Amino acid sequence: MTRPPLKIALLGCGVVGTEVVRLLREQADDLTARVGVPLELAGIAVRRLDKRREGVPAELLTTDAMDLVTGDVDIVVEVIGGLEPARGLLLAAMKTGKSVVTANKALLAEDGATLFGAAREYGTDIYYEASVAGAIPLLRPLRESLVGDHVQRVMGIVNGTTNYILDQMDSSGAGFSEALGEAQALGYAEADPTADIEGFDAAAKAAILAQLAFHTRVTAAGVHREGIADVTAADIASAKAMNCVVKLLAICERVPSEGHRGGRGVSVRVHPVMIPRTHPLASVREAYNAVFVEAESAGSLMFYGAGAGGAPTASAVLGDIVAVARNRVNGTRGPAESTYADLPVLPMADTITRYHVALDVADRSGVLARVADAFAENDVSIQAVRQEGHGREAQLVIVTHRAPDGALSATIEGLRELEIVREVASVMRVEGDE
Ligand code: NDP
Ligand code: HSE
């Protein structure tokens, strides 16, 4: 007896949705063979019916998304984005027994608890591979392949737009505004690039990664976030002088108490970082993404590829569609949310970091000693000092050893109060081996 097709409701038909439609149609035979039953696109919810959409069957379009998700479908794929109506639609879908697939990092990071709670309550699947790092298989490895290991750290470039801008500033000496203009002209950055530039997009992805890696609920509000709008050409030049490059990194790590493997908490942060040019993340150019995972037994793993774009992101969505479809065919479910470890999410002040500090100072005797005192007063150890003279002024560049971020911030405040410090020209955290 042939089994009936599984019916799919697609919510959203923009950059990602259009490619999901194309792949579902072009690969229909292979998908049927892989799932065991045909996948049938039953309807596509959009905002505007009159918009031109190449390759999208007009008869499937509707503006009544709620009617579509609560109707006769098996799988709901959400690629609208944002909090509402996406949240209400996904909840209604799960309440009526549908499996759901979403690429919506903003919603997952803001209110994942409600979505995962609904999946548990109604016994449905929720898959979201495309929400972090586009095409790169990253969430399933964390959720399934590494579930028997003890992940210590996840660190990477998860926003293509900002990586493109920083890469341009590094390779061509462009200023921030000029590089942003190029990113917009090439279609990497949105007309309103705030979510990328200010780090909101990367922070949402960091929350999702940390939750999976540490079995602990992490929301966007728990992520320390700094964007790249204040990164100057002088910062880039300073990094070059140290044979470093500036990247916007998402860093999720355990902060263990002394000698205690279980950990005192987790630190989740997004901010610009100087990393050595020899570090594998330094060679990630243009709009590519790359993520390092360090696990106790597996060691270091690196995931690299296209983190955005219609077709790459649709590839991850299709992977999830096949996974939830197979689960339905087999009468099983994928892994549920896992937050049993419930580790505290620590404030940035408790995170252990290194700093690169550039100070414009008067070039006279005793200056270096007073600057060094400001570090010592906060128990921050200096690793290296470099001085460049500019007549009667000098620039001091100081790189610290690892210390609590709170102590480093207090040091900077202390330096700002010194009469011999004309200006704190640049402050940036440093990652990579000391
Ligand atoms: P787009 O803005 O290109 O598309 C959004 C789609 O949603 C449009 O088709 C729009 O309809 C539709 N839509 C908006 N509001 C409603 C509504 N109220 N009811 C029904 N449909 C609605 O977004 P993307 O395709 O770029 O992104 C979709 C999701 O994928 C987001 O969550 C995003 O974060 C995520 N993502 C995107 C990546 C990318 O590279 N673009 C990469 C990874 C994840 P209409 O066409 O009529 O305007
Ligand atoms: N705006 C995001 C980026 C899209 O630049 O990486 C992918 O989530």
Side-chain angles (χ1 to χ4, degrees):
M1 192 183 80
T2 44
R3 294 166 106 171
L6 288 172
K7 294 185 184 164
I8 298 176
L10 179 65
L11 310 181
C13 194
V15 173
V16 179
T18 308
E19 289 298 312
V20 171
V21 173
R22 182 179 65 78
L23 293 177
L24 278 172
R25 301 181 84 198
E26 284 181 10
Q27 301 180 11
D29 291 345
D30 283 333
L31 292 170
T32 302
R34 290 170 196 177
V35 172
V37 301
L39 299 177
E40 180 188 312
L41 189 53
I44 307 170
V46 293
R47 219 171 4 188
R48 297 160 290 172
L49 289 175
D50 55 356
K51 187 174 151 189
R52 236 180 85 78
R53 298 169 207 272
E54 202 72 42
V56 176
E59 67 279 10
L60 293 183
L61 296 174
T62 173
T63 53
D64 193 342
M66 190 55 87
D67 184 57
L68 182 61
V69 301
T70 53
D72 179 23
V73 294
D74 304 285
I75 297 169
V76 171
V77 179
E78 185 270 313
V79 282
I80 292 176
L83 301 188
E84 294 294 350
R87 174 171 37 203
L89 292 167
L90 288 174
L91 291 175
M94 288 190 274
K95 196 172 179 179
T96 49
K98 278 75 179 194
S99 308
V100 303
V101 171
T102 177
N104 194 333
K105 61 225 146 189
L107 175 57
L108 287 161
E110 176 77 19
D111 196 15
T114 301
L115 296 178
F116 295 121
R120 193 167 40 249
E121 185 177 352
Y122 302 116
T124 61
D125 267 340
I126 174 165
Y127 276 54
Y128 49 101
E129 182 65 59
S131 63
V132 182
I136 307 173
L138 180 60
L139 303 192
R140 202 166 282 126
L142 281 172
R143 186 164 81 165
E144 296 176 31
S145 321
L146 289 167
V147 74
D149 210 326
H150 189 74
V151 176
Q152 304 283 13
R153 199 166 196 240
V154 180
M155 176 168 97
I157 295 164
V158 293
N159 183 269
T161 304
T162 47
N163 199 55
Y164 180 84
I165 292 170
L166 293 171
D167 186 38
Q168 282 300 302
M169 290 174 76
D170 181 68
S171 56
S172 73
F176 172 77
S177 305
E178 194 187 333
L180 171 59
E182 282 175 42
Q184 282 171 318
L186 285 167
Y188 294 134
E190 308 272 329
D192 174 7
T194 313
D196 294 318
I197 301 307
E198 299 296 338
F200 289 102
D201 177 79
K205 293 167 178 169
I208 294 168
L209 290 172
Q211 175 151 332
L212 286 171
F214 306 130
H215 301 269
T216 288
R217 176 149 299 127
V218 182
T219 64
V223 182
H224 174 87
R225 176 192 54 78
E226 294 169 33
I228 64 161
D230 294 332
V231 175
T232 62
D235 292 326
I236 304 282
S238 216
K240 271 190 176 161
M242 287 175 44
N243 204 26
C244 284
V245 61
V246 177
K247 295 288 186 190
L248 183 76
L249 295 189
I251 304 172
C252 319
E253 58 191 359
R254 292 180 191 270
V255 180
S257 52
E258 286 302 313
H260 186 349
R261 181 182 176 277
R264 184 163 69 87
V266 296
S267 161
V268 191
R269 52 202 169 102
V270 167
H271 52 71
V273 172
M274 285 187 190
I275 50 172
R277 279 184 192 269
T278 49
H279 193 286
L281 289 176
S283 58
V284 178
R285 307 284 311 270
E286 302 185 335
Y288 281 93
N289 283 193
V291 177
F292 241 80
V293 178
E294 292 170 27
E296 204 168 84
S297 303
S300 297
L301 308 166
M302 184 151 160
F303 299 82
Y304 172 87
T313 308
S315 161
V317 172
L318 261 288
D320 280 354
I321 292 174
V322 169
V324 300
R326 282 174 172 163
N327 288 347
R328 286 188 89 92
V329 168
N330 297 326
T332 58
R333 280 182 61 202
E337 182 198 33
S338 169
T339 55
Y340 76 92
D342 200 21
L343 295 167
V345 180
L346 300 175
M348 188 62 192
D350 289 358
T351 298
I352 309 295
T353 59
R354 293 165 64 209
Y355 266 18
H356 166 283
V357 184
L359 303 171
D360 291 335
V361 295
D363 193 2
R364 56 180 149 85
S365 63
V367 168
L368 185 55
R370 289 173 68 189
V371 166
D373 275 349
F375 283 86
E377 275 161 21
N378 292 290
D379 204 17
V380 176
S381 172
I382 293 174
Q383 185 206 356
V385 181
R386 195 180 77 240
Q387 178 174 332
E388 284 167 18
H390 305 284
R392 291 160 62 184
E393 304 283 302
Q395 183 161 83
L396 273 182
V397 177
I398 294 150
V399 181
T400 72
H401 285 294
R402 284 159 57 81
D405 200 82
L408 288 156
S409 300
T411 305
I412 302 302
E413 288 314 305
L415 289 167
R416 287 206 165 101
E417 281 164 19
L418 290 180
E419 156 274 322
I420 47 144
V421 174
R422 304 270 189 265
E423 194 187 357
V424 178
S426 159
V427 178
M428 200 172 287
R429 297 183 184 87
V430 179
E431 289 290 332
D433 294 337
E434 287 198 40

